[in-house]
């Protein structure tokens, strides 16, 4: 019940509740209850840290996915351009220079 009540109070009032409770308890009981309250704060902090870490991980994953997708799209487009250039009998070295594709790859396309 104490844990629940403590979570429902604004931060400024949580400390006041802890002070009031501690003033009505024996030293042993105070230590036990304050340890329980401290553990609640630790648990909340850990949960918040985990959530923030997951959010950052998801963001980075999305960014990486977008980057990889764009790179694949760029490579696919360069491949299409190289094929069209080969169909028009353009030089493999020039195609490699323009598209950024490896010249040996372009030569295999040519065959």
């Amino acid at each position: 019940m104490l844990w629940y009540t403590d979570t429902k109070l604004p931060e400024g009032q949580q400390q006041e509740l802890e002070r009031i409770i501690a003033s009505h308890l024996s030293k042993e009981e105070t230590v036990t209850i304050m340890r329980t309250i401290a553990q609640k704060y630790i648990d909340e902090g850990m949960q918040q840290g985990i959530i923030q870490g997951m959010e950052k991980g998801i963001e980075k994953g999305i960014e990486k996915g977008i980057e990889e997708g764009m790179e694949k799209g760029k490579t696919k487009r360069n491949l299409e351009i190289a094929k069209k250039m080969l169909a028009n009998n353009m030089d493999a070295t020039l195609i490699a220079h323009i598209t950024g594709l490896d010249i040996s790859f372009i030569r295999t396309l040519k065959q």
Side-chain angles (χ1 to χ4, degrees), residues 5 8 15 17 19 21 29-30 33 35 37 41 43-45 49 55 58 63 69 72 75 80-81 85 96 99 103:
T5 304
K8 298 301 176 189
Q15 290 177 348
L17 174 64
R19 188 188 63 71
I21 291 169
E29 291 172 320
T30 301
I33 288 176
R35 188 177 311 139
I37 292 172
Y41 293 149
D43 292 346
E44 287 175 358
E55 288 172 350
I58 289 169
E63 288 174 11
K72 284 182 182 179
T75 300
E80 292 170 3
I81 292 169
M85 293 173 86
T99 62
I103 190 156

Side-chain angles (χ1 to χ4, degrees), residues 2 15-16 19 26 37 39 42-43 45 52 60 63 65-67 69 71 78 86-88 92 96 103 107 110:
L2 175 63
Q15 290 177 348
E16 180 64 18
R19 188 188 63 71
S26 68
I37 292 172
Q39 186 60 48
I42 291 167
D43 292 346
Q52 288 174 346
K60 286 185 178 188
E63 288 174 11
I66 290 170
E67 287 174 16
E71 191 61 38
N78 285 340
L86 285 170
N88 286 297
I103 190 156
R107 288 184 179 137
K110 192 174 186 179

